[in-house]
Amino acid sequence: MISSIGRTRAVVVTGVARWWVAAGRFLLFALAAASAVVWALGVTVLQPLSEPTGPEAFGENNTYWARELRWGALIALVLVLVVLARGSRWTTYGAVAGGGAWLAVDVGLDRIDKTSGTAELAMAAGVAALLLCCVIVVAVPAAPRPRALLAVATVAAVASGVATATESPTDVEPALTTGSAAVGSLLALVAVAAAVHAAGPLSRPPTRRTVQVSAIAGATPWLLRYVSPQPSGGRYLAIFAFTVLLIVSVVALAGPRAESRRHRYGHPVVAAIVAVTLPAMYLPLALLAIVLQIGEPFTELAANTPINTADEDVVLIALTIPIGLVLARILRD
């Protein structure tokens, strides 16, 4: 009798786990396709809006805001692939390599000033993203790496905040508000998905809680951008608070399998760690990016108008990767 009950429970657990895996993969496929489509829109729609015009035109600070948003969508795509790979080291390397190849395509399309064929490019990008997802699923290992998935969640959360705060020289473009909100929302949803997958099917958070966190995380970038379309101290503080709360939320969703500090110290301490670490890392890295002009090589490769020597050519969205990785290490050690 006892063995029969045990077998019944095992069947139920296995069935639930299979349903959870199938549903999770479907949502990740959708996020990957959405990331690819947003990237395509960034190439053909947003990029032309950001380029200076005129015979003596020069770029200035934040001129290439469309590049920030395109690359934010590309980061979201790569992170989704890593989640599908369940954090596997070698499969993750493949996903990163695929992201590098996609970045090369991005620069090439930017160089030829592609401004037409939006629907075709979006469709091709979406199909390519889904094919990459299929390849990852076929090669995915049996055992996930929760710590790696927590790192994905923190990188996505930090990138969500930076994408939501994207500015342009004038900050009056409607496409800037829509684009930054879309990319910020996309990255926030990727962060939540990565955290839930870090928890696994057997220790996953309740569905209601996951849906609530996803809804709030996905809606907040839109709310922040449309309530305050112009840069202000209040908007910066709100985005910072959103980023901190998003990281605390994904750490909580990841559960004990990720071995995070939340299970030893609680939410307030995690929030304090994040609130101190984010500016402590972001400001020096931003200064280093300004000194090195890390965006200049990509501007030259894309044959775009150079940035005025008095201003900076940086790619702030790229800084979120080391910040997120270090923050994940701090939170789990």
Side-chain angles (χ1 to χ4, degrees), residues 205-288:
T207 302
R208 177 179 295 181
R209 184 190 306 168
T210 302
V211 171
Q212 290 172 343
V213 173
S214 299
I216 295 172
T220 300
W222 293 93
L223 181 65
L224 292 173
R225 290 298 308 205
Y226 278 93
V227 168
S228 180
Q230 291 294 320
S232 64
R235 191 176 80 176
Y236 289 134
L237 288 175
I239 292 174
F240 178 73
F242 162 67
T243 306
V244 172
L245 291 175
L246 180 58
I247 295 174
V248 173
S249 298
V250 298
V251 169
L253 289 174
R257 294 182 72 200
E259 301 177 16
S260 63
R261 287 182 182 269
R262 176 258 172 187
H263 298 280
R264 285 175 281 173
Y265 302 119
H267 300 306
V269 174
V270 172
I273 292 172
V274 175
V276 171
T277 303
L278 282 179
M281 288 197 65
Y282 183 81
L283 295 178
L285 285 176
L287 180 60
L288 181 62

Side-chain angles (χ1 to χ4, degrees), residues 7 10 36 42 56 69 72 101 118 123 149 161 178 192 195 215-216 225 252 270 272 287-288 308:
R7 285 194 298 270
E56 298 182 359
L69 298 181
T118 301
M123 185 177 298
L149 295 176
T178 303
V192 175
I216 295 172
R225 290 298 308 205
V270 172
L287 180 60
L288 181 62
N308 191 309

Side-chain angles (χ1 to χ4, degrees), residues 74-88:
L74 184 54
I75 289 174
L77 173 59
V78 173
L79 293 178
V80 168
L81 295 178
V82 175
V83 176
L84 276 172
R86 308 178 78 180
S88 168

Side-chain angles (χ1 to χ4, degrees), residues 66-200:
R67 179 175 62 188
E68 296 275 354
L69 298 181
R70 289 200 320 272
W71 290 10
L74 184 54
I75 289 174
L77 173 59
V78 173
L79 293 178
V80 168
L81 295 178
V82 175
V83 176
L84 276 172
R86 308 178 78 180
S88 168
R89 183 173 285 106
W90 291 108
T91 314
T92 296
Y93 291 158
V96 173
W102 203 302
L103 178 61
V105 173
D106 175 279
V107 174
L109 292 175
D110 192 3
R111 186 178 182 87
I112 65 175
D113 295 325
K114 184 172 179 58
T115 59
S116 61
T118 301
E120 292 81 359
L121 181 61
M123 185 177 298
V127 171
L130 293 177
L131 288 176
L132 285 173
C133 290
C134 292
V135 171
I136 293 292
V137 168
V138 170
V140 71
R145 297 175 63 224
R147 287 188 168 195
L149 295 176
L150 176 62
V152 170
T154 55
V155 170
V158 175
S160 176
V162 172
T164 304
T166 301
E167 299 177 10
S168 76
T170 61
D171 292 301
V172 297
E173 300 90 346
L176 169 64
T177 299
T178 303
S180 60
V183 176
S185 177
L186 193 61
L187 284 161
L189 292 175
V190 172
V192 175
V196 173
H197 279 74

